[in-house]
Amino acid sequence: MVYSLLRKYKKLIMKSSSIIVSVIVSVAVLLTAWILGNAYRYKYKSTQTITVNGNAKKDFESDLVKWNATFSRKNFELSAASAQLATDRDLVRDFLVQQGIKVDEIRFEAVNIAKDFEYHTDGKGNGYNTFSGYTLSQTVSVESRDLNKVDNASREISTLISKGIELSSSTPNYYYSKLEDLKLELISQASKNAHQRADNIAKESNAGLGSLVKADLGIFQITGQNDNEEYSSGGAFNTTSRKKTANITVRASFLSN
């Protein structure tokens, strides 16, 4: 009798253990399936992105001009050439001041001295050089916020040639002193434009727009207004036009819900 009961009890324990193991295995399978399912859904969801290019541009006018001109004198005697150049320097300074340019906006660079030689050949075809004099040159540069006065001076300075000054004038270069502020403003506008474009695409697709995943800033471009000037892969930076246009793009990717 006792032996029979022990056998039944042992069978019951073995059956219960088998049920428990089956339950544990089933739960483990279900849990694994749930984890894998959610991981797949997350991966699938995370790959659903909307990528757009946002753009912003602004017309602006330069507030700083830089301009220079070079004048020179040549003489067989160095002291004579130096004296002539000093006279020319005074004439150039007086002219610029008469044009309304301030003295502290005028800068004279160091004098450049060059020895000149002439090449000759003798009756036998042998070549040789002879000293022909000294050429002294000096550059005057102007940096000012009064663009109109400098523009006018750059056009009128050729009148000094009639006074015997050998002079060449460059084209004025125009800059903007608040360029960094302009960049930040356009980056903000381009980012908003990218978000608006992505939002429009999501709405048209009956989807929701999620958080930003990635953003890449494009090249900052500055070109002359109304000029047929092409963008550069390294970024255009126009200095010859007084009125300019700044442009920047932002490439952004957003999650799609």
Side-chain angles (χ1 to χ4, degrees):
M1 173 77 66
V2 174
Y3 180 74
S4 178
L5 289 174
L6 288 174
R7 289 185 62 186
K8 290 182 179 180
Y9 181 70
K10 184 178 180 180
K11 290 182 179 180
L12 181 61
I13 291 176
M14 293 178 62
K15 185 177 181 180
S16 298
S17 298
S18 177
I19 294 173
I20 292 172
V21 171
S22 298
V23 170
I24 291 175
V25 171
S26 299
V27 171
V29 170
L30 291 174
L31 184 60
T32 301
W34 182 82
I35 292 174
L36 291 175
N38 277 277
Y40 176 78
R41 284 195 296 271
Y42 175 78
K43 179 180 179 181
Y44 176 78
K45 179 180 179 180
S46 64
T47 59
Q48 302 305 298
T49 59
I50 298 175
T51 301
V52 295
N53 287 326
N55 180 269
K57 69 176 183 177
K58 184 176 182 179
D59 294 335
F60 65 99
E61 186 169 0
S62 305
D63 61 2
L64 181 68
V65 60
K66 295 181 180 181
W67 165 76
N68 64 70
T70 301
F71 53 98
S72 63
R73 282 289 184 174
K74 181 174 181 178
N75 199 293
F76 196 79
E77 297 292 335
L78 180 60
S79 58
S82 179
Q84 291 170 344
L85 192 71
T87 300
D88 293 345
R89 182 166 55 248
D90 292 338
L91 290 173
V92 170
R93 182 188 292 107
D94 292 343
F95 169 81
L96 295 175
V97 172
Q98 290 171 5
Q99 294 294 315
I101 298 175
K102 299 177 182 179
V103 175
D104 60 359
E105 296 175 338
I106 304 171
R107 178 183 176 183
F108 289 93
E109 306 295 336
V111 176
N112 182 61
I113 303 175
K115 285 185 176 182
D116 298 329
F117 296 87
E118 291 182 358
Y119 181 78
H120 306 276
T121 56
D122 59 20
K124 297 181 180 180
N126 298 317
Y128 63 96
N129 293 318
T130 60
F131 177 68
S132 61
Y134 294 95
T135 295
L136 274 62
S137 61
Q138 190 169 28
T139 297
V140 58
S141 59
V142 175
E143 182 175 329
S144 175
R145 293 187 181 276
D146 197 329
L147 277 63
N148 292 330
K149 290 181 179 179
V150 176
D151 284 347
N152 185 65
S154 68
R155 291 190 296 267
E156 299 296 329
I157 198 170
S158 59
T159 59
L160 291 177
I161 296 176
S162 63
K163 296 183 179 182
I165 300 178
E166 296 183 12
L167 182 143
S168 61
S169 174
S170 67
T171 302
N173 290 321
Y174 303 95
Y175 302 90
Y176 188 57
S177 61
K178 299 179 181 178
L179 192 58
E180 289 303 316
D181 293 336
L182 178 60
K183 286 182 180 180
L184 292 176
E185 177 185 348
L186 291 183
I187 291 173
S188 177
Q189 293 179 4
S191 299
K192 291 179 181 178
N193 181 253
H195 186 276
Q196 183 178 9
R197 291 185 179 189
D199 189 48
N200 289 339
I201 293 174
K203 289 179 180 179
E204 292 297 326
S205 304
N206 295 320
L209 189 66
S211 59
L212 177 67
V213 176
K214 182 181 180 183
D216 294 312
L217 189 63
I219 303 298
F220 194 64
Q221 310 279 355
I222 297 179
T223 56
Q225 282 187 33
N226 304 317
D227 288 347
N228 189 23
E229 188 174 352
E230 295 183 355
Y231 290 162
S232 168
S233 59
F237 190 76
N238 178 289
T239 60
T240 58
S241 299
R242 181 168 172 173
K243 294 183 177 181
K244 311 176 191 293
T245 300
N247 186 293
I248 199 167
T249 59
V250 172
R251 185 172 180 84
S253 297
F254 299 86
L255 289 176
S256 176
N257 302 325

